[in-house]
Amino acid sequence: MLKKIKNSPRLAEFKARHPNGNAIVIVLGIIMLWRGVWGLLDMYFFPGSPNLSYLVSIALGVLILYLDNFSIENLKR
């Protein structure tokens, strides 16, 4: 079903006719994904110690970026 929606001519037409609307939809999707991840981390990643959770999250984020050479080339189309 998702494949059918993704390949829909109406969706392609919307993207072509309303690039700003498409950008807003993408931004909203990213925000909702981030909100969900943030909520799960708040609940399960050192739930009794928010400061430790923040510090470990920052350290893991920096480690992941370091291992990827701080590159975002994979995200480009």
Side-chain angles (χ1 to χ4, degrees):
M1 181 171 163
L2 289 178
K3 190 173 186 178
K4 186 177 179 180
I5 294 171
K6 185 177 179 181
N7 296 329
S8 165
R10 293 182 73 198
L11 183 60
E13 180 183 347
F14 173 78
K15 288 180 179 182
R17 293 183 72 195
H18 306 289
N20 291 337
N22 186 45
I24 290 170
V25 170
I26 291 170
V27 167
L28 288 174
I30 292 169
I31 290 169
M32 286 187 275
L33 176 68
W34 179 251
R35 182 179 180 271
V37 170
W38 191 297
L40 287 173
L41 286 173
D42 282 346
M43 288 173 48
Y44 297 111
F45 199 62
F46 301 112
S49 179
N51 289 337
L52 179 61
S53 178
Y54 300 149
L55 291 172
V56 172
S57 295
I58 290 169
L60 287 174
V62 169
L63 177 66
I64 290 169
L65 292 174
Y66 174 76
L67 293 175
D68 194 36
N69 294 324
F70 295 92
S71 175
I72 59 168
E73 293 298 317
N74 300 2
L75 299 177
K76 292 183 180 177
R77 288 185 182 203

Coordinates of all heavy atoms in Angstrom, one line a residue:
M1 N 0.8 -1.2 0.0 CA 0.0 0.0 0.0 C 0.9 1.3 0.0 O 0.6 2.2 -0.7 CB -0.9 0.0 1.2 CG -1.8 1.2 1.3 SD -3.1 1.0 2.5 CE -3.6 2.7 2.7
L2 N 1.9 1.3 0.8 CA 2.8 2.4 0.8 C 3.5 2.6 -0.5 O 3.7 3.8 -0.9 CB 3.8 2.3 2.0 CG 3.3 2.5 3.4 CD1 4.4 2.3 4.4 CD2 2.6 3.8 3.6
K3 N 3.9 1.5 -1.1 CA 4.5 1.6 -2.4 C 3.6 2.3 -3.5 O 4.0 3.1 -4.3 CB 5.0 0.2 -2.9 CG 5.8 0.2 -4.1 CD 6.4 -1.2 -4.4 CE 7.4 -1.1 -5.5 NZ 7.9 -2.4 -5.8
K4 N 2.3 1.9 -3.4 CA 1.3 2.5 -4.3 C 1.2 4.0 -4.1 O 1.1 4.7 -5.0 CB 0.0 1.8 -4.0 CG -1.1 2.2 -5.0 CD -2.4 1.3 -4.7 CE -3.5 1.8 -5.7 NZ -4.7 1.0 -5.5
I5 N 1.1 4.4 -2.8 CA 1.1 5.8 -2.5 C 2.3 6.5 -2.9 O 2.2 7.6 -3.5 CB 0.8 6.0 -1.0 CG1 -0.5 5.5 -0.6 CG2 1.0 7.5 -0.6 CD1 -0.8 5.5 0.9
K6 N 3.5 5.9 -2.7 CA 4.8 6.6 -3.0 C 4.9 6.8 -4.5 O 5.4 7.8 -5.0 CB 5.9 5.7 -2.5 CG 7.3 6.3 -2.8 CD 8.3 5.5 -2.2 CE 9.7 6.1 -2.4 NZ 10.8 5.3 -1.9
N7 N 4.4 5.8 -5.3 CA 4.5 5.9 -6.8 C 3.2 6.6 -7.4 O 3.1 6.6 -8.6 CB 4.7 4.5 -7.4 CG 6.0 3.9 -6.9 OD1 7.0 4.7 -6.7 ND2 6.0 2.6 -6.8
S8 N 2.4 7.2 -6.6 CA 1.2 7.8 -7.1 C 1.5 9.0 -8.0 O 2.3 9.8 -7.6 CB 0.3 8.2 -5.9 OG -0.7 9.1 -6.3
P9 N 0.8 9.1 -9.1 CA 1.0 10.3 -9.9 C 0.5 11.6 -9.2 O 1.0 12.7 -9.5 CB 0.2 10.1 -11.2 CG -0.6 8.8 -11.0 CD -0.1 8.1 -9.8
R10 N -0.5 11.5 -8.4 CA -1.0 12.7 -7.6 C 0.1 13.2 -6.7 O 0.2 14.4 -6.5 CB -2.3 12.3 -6.9 CG -3.4 12.0 -7.8 CD -4.7 11.7 -7.0 NE -5.2 13.0 -6.5 CZ -6.1 13.0 -5.5 NH1 -6.5 11.9 -5.0 NH2 -6.5 14.2 -5.0
L11 N 0.8 12.3 -6.0 CA 1.9 12.7 -5.2 C 3.0 13.4 -6.0 O 3.5 14.4 -5.5 CB 2.4 11.5 -4.4 CG 3.5 11.8 -3.3 CD1 3.0 12.8 -2.3 CD2 4.0 10.5 -2.7
A12 N 3.4 12.8 -7.1 CA 4.4 13.4 -7.9 C 4.0 14.8 -8.4 O 4.8 15.7 -8.4 CB 4.7 12.5 -9.1
E13 N 2.7 14.9 -8.7 CA 2.1 16.2 -9.2 C 2.2 17.2 -8.0 O 2.6 18.4 -8.2 CB 0.7 16.1 -9.7 CG 0.1 17.4 -10.1 CD -1.4 17.2 -10.5 OE1 -1.8 16.0 -10.7 OE2 -2.0 18.2 -10.7
F14 N 1.8 16.8 -6.8 CA 1.9 17.7 -5.6 C 3.3 18.2 -5.4 O 3.6 19.4 -5.2 CB 1.4 17.0 -4.4 CG 1.6 17.8 -3.1 CD1 0.7 18.8 -2.8 CD2 2.6 17.5 -2.3 CE1 0.9 19.5 -1.7 CE2 2.8 18.2 -1.1 CZ 1.9 19.2 -0.8
K15 N 4.3 17.3 -5.5 CA 5.7 17.6 -5.3 C 6.2 18.6 -6.3 O 6.9 19.6 -6.0 CB 6.6 16.4 -5.3 CG 6.4 15.5 -4.1 CD 7.3 14.3 -4.2 CE 7.2 13.4 -3.1 NZ 8.1 12.2 -3.2
A16 N 5.7 18.4 -7.6 CA 6.2 19.3 -8.6 C 5.5 20.7 -8.6 O 6.1 21.7 -8.8 CB 5.9 18.7 -10.0
R17 N 4.2 20.7 -8.2 CA 3.5 22.0 -8.2 C 3.6 22.8 -6.9 O 3.5 24.0 -6.9 CB 2.0 21.7 -8.4 CG 1.7 21.2 -9.8 CD 0.2 21.0 -10.0 NE -0.4 22.3 -10.1 CZ -1.7 22.5 -10.1 NH1 -2.5 21.5 -9.9 NH2 -2.2 23.7 -10.2
H18 N 4.0 22.1 -5.8 CA 4.0 22.7 -4.5 C 5.3 22.3 -3.8 O 5.3 21.6 -2.8 CB 2.8 22.4 -3.6 CG 1.5 22.7 -4.3 ND1 1.0 23.9 -4.5 CD2 0.6 21.8 -4.8 CE1 -0.1 23.9 -5.1 NE2 -0.4 22.6 -5.3
P19 N 6.5 22.8 -4.3 CA 7.7 22.4 -3.6 C 7.8 22.8 -2.2 O 8.4 22.1 -1.3 CB 8.8 23.0 -4.5 CG 8.2 24.0 -5.3 CD 6.7 23.6 -5.4
N20 N 7.3 24.0 -1.9 CA 7.3 24.5 -0.5 C 6.4 23.7 0.4 O 6.8 23.4 1.5 CB 6.9 26.0 -0.4 CG 7.9 26.9 -1.0 OD1 9.1 26.5 -1.2 ND2 7.5 28.1 -1.5
G21 N 5.3 23.3 -0.1 CA 4.4 22.4 0.7 C 5.0 21.0 0.9 O 4.9 20.5 2.0
N22 N 5.7 20.5 -0.1 CA 6.4 19.3 0.0 C 7.5 19.4 1.1 O 7.7 18.5 1.9 CB 7.0 18.8 -1.3 CG 7.7 17.5 -1.3 OD1 7.1 16.5 -0.7 ND2 8.8 17.3 -1.8
A23 N 8.2 20.5 1.1 CA 9.3 20.7 2.1 C 8.7 20.8 3.5 O 9.3 20.2 4.5 CB 10.1 22.0 1.8
I24 N 7.5 21.4 3.7 CA 6.9 21.5 5.0 C 6.5 20.1 5.4 O 6.7 19.7 6.6 CB 5.7 22.4 4.9 CG1 6.1 23.8 4.8 CG2 4.8 22.2 6.2 CD1 5.0 24.8 4.5
V25 N 6.0 19.2 4.5 CA 5.6 17.9 4.9 C 6.9 17.1 5.3 O 6.8 16.4 6.3 CB 4.9 17.2 3.7 CG1 4.8 15.7 4.0 CG2 3.6 17.8 3.5
I26 N 8.0 17.2 4.6 CA 9.2 16.6 5.0 C 9.7 17.0 6.4 O 10.1 16.2 7.2 CB 10.3 16.8 3.9 CG1 9.9 16.0 2.6 CG2 11.7 16.3 4.4 CD1 10.7 16.4 1.4
V27 N 9.7 18.3 6.6 CA 10.1 18.9 7.9 C 9.2 18.3 9.0 O 9.8 17.9 10.1 CB 10.1 20.4 7.9 CG1 10.3 21.0 9.3 CG2 11.2 20.9 7.0
L28 N 7.9 18.3 8.8 CA 7.0 17.7 9.8 C 7.3 16.3 10.1 O 7.3 15.8 11.3 CB 5.6 17.9 9.4 CG 5.0 19.3 9.5 CD1 3.6 19.4 8.9 CD2 5.1 19.9 10.9
G29 N 7.6 15.5 9.1 CA 8.0 14.1 9.2 C 9.3 13.9 10.1 O 9.4 13.1 11.0
I30 N 10.3 14.8 9.8 CA 11.5 14.7 10.6 C 11.3 15.1 12.0 O 11.8 14.5 12.9 CB 12.6 15.6 9.9 CG1 13.0 15.1 8.6 CG2 13.8 15.8 10.8 CD1 13.8 16.0 7.7
I31 N 10.5 16.1 12.2 CA 10.2 16.6 13.6 C 9.4 15.5 14.4 O 9.8 15.2 15.5 CB 9.3 17.9 13.6 CG1 10.2 19.0 13.1 CG2 8.7 18.1 15.0 CD1 9.4 20.3 12.8
M32 N 8.5 14.8 13.7 CA 7.7 13.7 14.4 C 8.7 12.5 14.7 O 8.6 11.9 15.8 CB 6.6 13.3 13.6 CG 5.4 14.3 13.6 SD 3.9 13.7 12.8 CE 4.3 14.2 11.1
L33 N 9.6 12.2 13.8 CA 10.5 11.1 14.1 C 11.4 11.5 15.2 O 11.6 10.7 16.2 CB 11.4 10.9 12.8 CG 12.5 9.9 13.0 CD1 11.9 8.5 13.2 CD2 13.4 9.9 11.8
W34 N 11.9 12.7 15.2 CA 12.8 13.2 16.3 C 12.1 13.2 17.7 O 12.6 12.8 18.7 CB 13.4 14.6 16.0 CG 14.2 15.1 17.1 CD1 14.0 16.1 18.0 CD2 15.5 14.6 17.5 NE1 15.0 16.2 18.8 CE2 16.0 15.3 18.6 CE3 16.3 13.5 17.0 CZ2 17.2 15.1 19.2 CZ3 17.5 13.3 17.6 CH2 18.0 14.1 18.7
R35 N 10.8 13.6 17.7 CA 10.0 13.7 18.9 C 9.9 12.3 19.5 O 10.0 12.0 20.7 CB 8.7 14.3 18.6 CG 7.8 14.4 19.8 CD 6.5 15.1 19.5 NE 5.7 15.2 20.7 CZ 4.8 14.3 21.1 NH1 4.6 13.2 20.4 NH2 4.1 14.5 22.1
G36 N 9.6 11.3 18.6 CA 9.5 9.9 19.0 C 10.7 9.4 19.6 O 10.7 8.7 20.7
V37 N 11.9 9.6 18.9 CA 13.1 9.1 19.4 C 13.5 9.8 20.8 O 13.9 9.1 21.7 CB 14.3 9.4 18.4 CG1 15.6 9.1 19.0 CG2 14.1 8.5 17.2
W38 N 13.2 11.1 20.9 CA 13.5 11.8 22.1 C 12.7 11.3 23.2 O 13.2 11.1 24.3 CB 13.2 13.3 21.9 CG 13.7 14.2 23.0 CD1 13.3 14.2 24.3 CD2 14.6 15.3 22.8 NE1 13.9 15.2 25.0 CE2 14.7 15.9 24.1 CE3 15.3 15.8 21.8 CZ2 15.5 17.0 24.3 CZ3 16.1 16.9 22.0 CH2 16.3 17.4 23.3
G39 N 11.4 11.0 23.0 CA 10.5 10.5 24.0 C 11.0 9.1 24.5 O 11.0 8.8 25.7
L40 N 11.4 8.3 23.6 CA 11.9 6.9 24.0 C 13.2 7.0 24.8 O 13.4 6.3 25.8 CB 12.1 6.1 22.7 CG 10.8 5.5 22.1 CD1 11.2 4.8 20.8 CD2 10.1 4.6 23.0
L41 N 14.1 7.9 24.4 CA 15.3 8.1 25.1 C 15.0 8.6 26.5 O 15.7 8.2 27.5 CB 16.3 9.1 24.4 CG 17.0 8.5 23.2 CD1 17.7 9.6 22.4 CD2 17.9 7.3 23.5
D42 N 14.1 9.6 26.6 CA 13.7 10.1 28.0 C 13.2 8.9 28.9 O 13.4 8.9 30.1 CB 12.6 11.2 27.9 CG 13.2 12.5 27.5 OD1 14.5 12.6 27.5 OD2 12.5 13.4 27.1
M43 N 12.4 8.0 28.3 CA 11.8 7.0 29.1 C 12.8 5.8 29.5 O 12.7 5.3 30.6 CB 10.6 6.4 28.3 CG 9.4 7.3 28.3 SD 8.1 6.7 27.2 CE 7.9 5.0 27.7
Y44 N 13.7 5.5 28.5 CA 14.5 4.3 28.7 C 16.0 4.5 28.9 O 16.7 3.6 29.3 CB 14.3 3.3 27.6 CG 12.8 2.9 27.5 CD1 12.0 3.3 26.4 CD2 12.3 2.0 28.5 CE1 10.7 2.9 26.4 CE2 11.0 1.6 28.4 CZ 10.2 2.0 27.3 OH 8.9 1.6 27.3
F45 N 16.6 5.6 28.6 CA 18.0 5.8 28.6 C 18.3 6.6 29.8 O 18.3 7.9 29.8 CB 18.4 6.6 27.3 CG 19.9 6.5 27.0 CD1 20.5 5.3 26.7 CD2 20.7 7.6 26.9 CE1 21.8 5.2 26.4 CE2 22.0 7.5 26.6 CZ 22.6 6.3 26.4
F46 N 18.7 5.9 30.9 CA 19.0 6.5 32.2 C 17.8 7.4 32.7 O 18.0 8.6 32.9 CB 20.3 7.4 32.2 CG 21.5 6.6 31.8 CD1 22.2 6.9 30.6 CD2 22.0 5.6 32.6 CE1 23.3 6.1 30.2 CE2 23.1 4.9 32.3 CZ 23.8 5.2 31.1
P47 N 16.6 6.8 32.8 CA 15.5 7.6 33.2 C 15.5 8.3 34.5 O 14.9 9.4 34.7 CB 14.3 6.6 33.2 CG 15.0 5.3 33.4 CD 16.4 5.4 32.8
G48 N 16.3 7.9 35.4 CA 16.4 8.5 36.7 C 17.4 9.6 36.8 O 17.5 10.3 37.8
S49 N 18.2 9.7 35.8 CA 19.3 10.7 35.8 C 19.4 11.5 34.5 O 20.1 11.1 33.6 CB 20.6 10.0 36.1 OG 21.7 10.9 36.1
P50 N 18.6 12.5 34.3 CA 18.6 13.2 33.1 C 19.9 13.8 32.6 O 20.3 13.8 31.5 CB 17.5 14.3 33.2 CG 17.1 14.3 34.7 CD 17.7 13.1 35.3
N51 N 20.7 14.3 33.6 CA 22.0 14.9 33.2 C 22.9 13.9 32.6 O 23.6 14.1 31.6 CB 22.6 15.6 34.4 CG 21.9 16.9 34.8 OD1 21.3 17.5 34.0 ND2 22.1 17.3 36.1
L52 N 23.0 12.7 33.2 CA 23.8 11.6 32.7 C 23.3 11.2 31.3 O 24.1 10.9 30.4 CB 23.8 10.4 33.7 CG 24.5 9.2 33.2 CD1 26.0 9.5 33.1 CD2 24.3 8.0 34.2
S53 N 22.0 11.1 31.2 CA 21.4 10.7 29.9 C 21.8 11.7 28.8 O 22.1 11.3 27.7 CB 19.8 10.7 30.0 OG 19.2 10.4 28.8
Y54 N 21.7 13.0 29.1 CA 22.1 14.1 28.2 C 23.6 13.9 27.8 O 24.0 14.0 26.6 CB 21.9 15.5 28.7 CG 20.4 15.8 29.0 CD1 20.1 16.6 30.0 CD2 19.4 15.1 28.3 CE1 18.8 16.9 30.3 CE2 18.1 15.4 28.6 CZ 17.8 16.3 29.6 OH 16.5 16.6 30.0
L55 N 24.5 13.8 28.8 CA 25.9 13.7 28.5 C 26.3 12.4 27.7 O 27.0 12.5 26.8 CB 26.7 13.7 29.8 CG 26.7 15.0 30.6 CD1 27.3 14.8 32.0 CD2 27.4 16.1 29.8
V56 N 25.7 11.3 28.0 CA 25.9 10.1 27.3 C 25.4 10.2 25.9 O 26.0 9.7 24.9 CB 25.4 8.8 28.0 CG1 25.5 7.6 27.2 CG2 26.1 8.6 29.4
S57 N 24.2 10.8 25.7 CA 23.7 11.0 24.4 C 24.6 11.9 23.5 O 24.8 11.6 22.4 CB 22.3 11.6 24.5 OG 21.4 10.8 25.1
I58 N 25.1 12.9 24.1 CA 26.0 13.8 23.4 C 27.2 13.0 23.0 O 27.7 13.1 21.8 CB 26.4 15.1 24.2 CG1 25.1 16.0 24.3 CG2 27.5 15.8 23.6 CD1 25.3 17.1 25.4
A59 N 27.8 12.3 23.9 CA 29.0 11.5 23.7 C 28.8 10.5 22.5 O 29.6 10.4 21.6 CB 29.5 10.8 24.9
L60 N 27.7 9.8 22.6 CA 27.4 8.8 21.6 C 27.1 9.5 20.2 O 27.6 9.0 19.2 CB 26.1 8.0 22.0 CG 26.3 6.9 23.1 CD1 25.0 6.3 23.4 CD2 27.4 5.9 22.6
G61 N 26.5 10.6 20.2 CA 26.3 11.4 19.0 C 27.6 11.8 18.4 O 27.8 11.7 17.1
V62 N 28.5 12.3 19.2 CA 29.8 12.8 18.7 C 30.6 11.6 18.2 O 31.2 11.6 17.1 CB 30.6 13.5 19.8 CG1 32.0 13.7 19.4 CG2 29.9 14.8 20.1
L63 N 30.5 10.4 18.9 CA 31.2 9.2 18.4 C 30.7 8.7 17.1 O 31.5 8.4 16.2 CB 31.0 8.1 19.5 CG 31.6 6.8 19.1 CD1 33.2 6.9 19.1 CD2 31.2 5.7 20.1
I64 N 29.4 8.7 16.9 CA 28.8 8.3 15.6 C 29.2 9.2 14.5 O 29.6 8.8 13.4 CB 27.2 8.3 15.7 CG1 26.8 7.1 16.6 CG2 26.6 8.2 14.4 CD1 25.3 7.1 17.0
L65 N 29.2 10.6 14.8 CA 29.7 11.5 13.8 C 31.2 11.3 13.5 O 31.6 11.4 12.3 CB 29.4 12.9 14.2 CG 27.9 13.3 14.2 CD1 27.7 14.7 14.8 CD2 27.2 13.2 12.9
Y66 N 32.0 11.1 14.5 CA 33.4 10.9 14.3 C 33.7 9.7 13.5 O 34.5 9.7 12.6 CB 34.1 10.8 15.7 CG 35.6 10.4 15.6 CD1 36.5 11.4 15.2 CD2 36.0 9.1 15.8 CE1 37.8 11.1 15.1 CE2 37.3 8.8 15.7 CZ 38.3 9.8 15.3 OH 39.6 9.5 15.2
L67 N 33.0 8.6 13.8 CA 33.2 7.3 13.0 C 32.8 7.5 11.5 O 33.3 6.8 10.7 CB 32.4 6.2 13.7 CG 32.9 5.8 15.0 CD1 32.0 4.7 15.6 CD2 34.4 5.3 14.9
D68 N 31.9 8.4 11.3 CA 31.4 8.7 9.9 C 32.2 9.9 9.3 O 31.8 10.4 8.3 CB 29.9 9.0 9.9 CG 29.3 8.9 8.5 OD1 29.8 8.1 7.7 OD2 28.4 9.7 8.2
N69 N 33.3 10.3 9.9 CA 34.1 11.4 9.5 C 33.3 12.7 9.4 O 33.6 13.6 8.5 CB 34.8 11.1 8.1 CG 35.7 10.0 8.3 OD1 36.4 9.9 9.3 ND2 35.8 9.2 7.2
F70 N 32.3 12.9 10.2 CA 31.5 14.1 10.3 C 30.9 14.4 8.9 O 30.8 15.6 8.5 CB 32.2 15.3 10.8 CG 32.6 15.1 12.3 CD1 33.8 14.6 12.6 CD2 31.7 15.5 13.2 CE1 34.2 14.4 14.0 CE2 32.0 15.3 14.6 CZ 33.3 14.8 14.9
S71 N 30.6 13.4 8.1 CA 30.2 13.5 6.7 C 28.7 13.3 6.6 O 28.1 12.4 7.2 CB 30.9 12.5 5.8 OG 30.4 12.6 4.5
I72 N 28.1 14.2 5.8 CA 26.6 14.0 5.5 C 26.4 13.8 4.0 O 25.4 13.9 3.5 CB 25.8 15.2 6.0 CG1 26.3 16.5 5.3 CG2 25.8 15.4 7.5 CD1 25.3 17.7 5.5
E73 N 27.5 13.3 3.4 CA 27.4 13.1 1.9 C 26.3 12.0 1.6 O 25.7 12.1 0.6 CB 28.8 12.6 1.4 CG 29.8 13.7 1.4 CD 29.5 14.9 0.6 OE1 29.0 14.7 -0.6 OE2 29.7 16.0 1.0
N74 N 26.1 11.1 2.5 CA 25.1 10.0 2.3 C 23.7 10.5 2.3 O 22.8 9.9 1.7 CB 25.3 8.9 3.4 CG 26.6 8.3 3.4 OD1 27.5 8.6 2.6 ND2 26.8 7.3 4.3
L75 N 23.5 11.7 2.8 CA 22.1 12.2 2.9 C 21.8 13.0 1.6 O 20.6 13.3 1.4 CB 22.0 13.1 4.1 CG 22.2 12.5 5.5 CD1 22.1 13.5 6.6 CD2 21.2 11.4 5.7
K76 N 22.8 13.3 0.8 CA 22.5 14.1 -0.4 C 21.9 13.2 -1.5 O 22.2 12.0 -1.5 CB 23.8 14.7 -1.0 CG 24.3 15.8 -0.1 CD 25.5 16.4 -0.7 CE 26.1 17.5 0.2 NZ 27.3 18.1 -0.3
R77 N 21.0 13.8 -2.3 CA 20.4 13.0 -3.3 C 21.3 12.9 -4.6 O 22.0 13.7 -4.9 CB 19.0 13.6 -3.7 CG 18.0 13.3 -2.7 CD 16.7 13.8 -3.1 NE 15.7 13.6 -2.1 CZ 14.5 13.6 -2.2 NH1 14.0 13.7 -3.4 NH2 13.6 13.4 -1.2

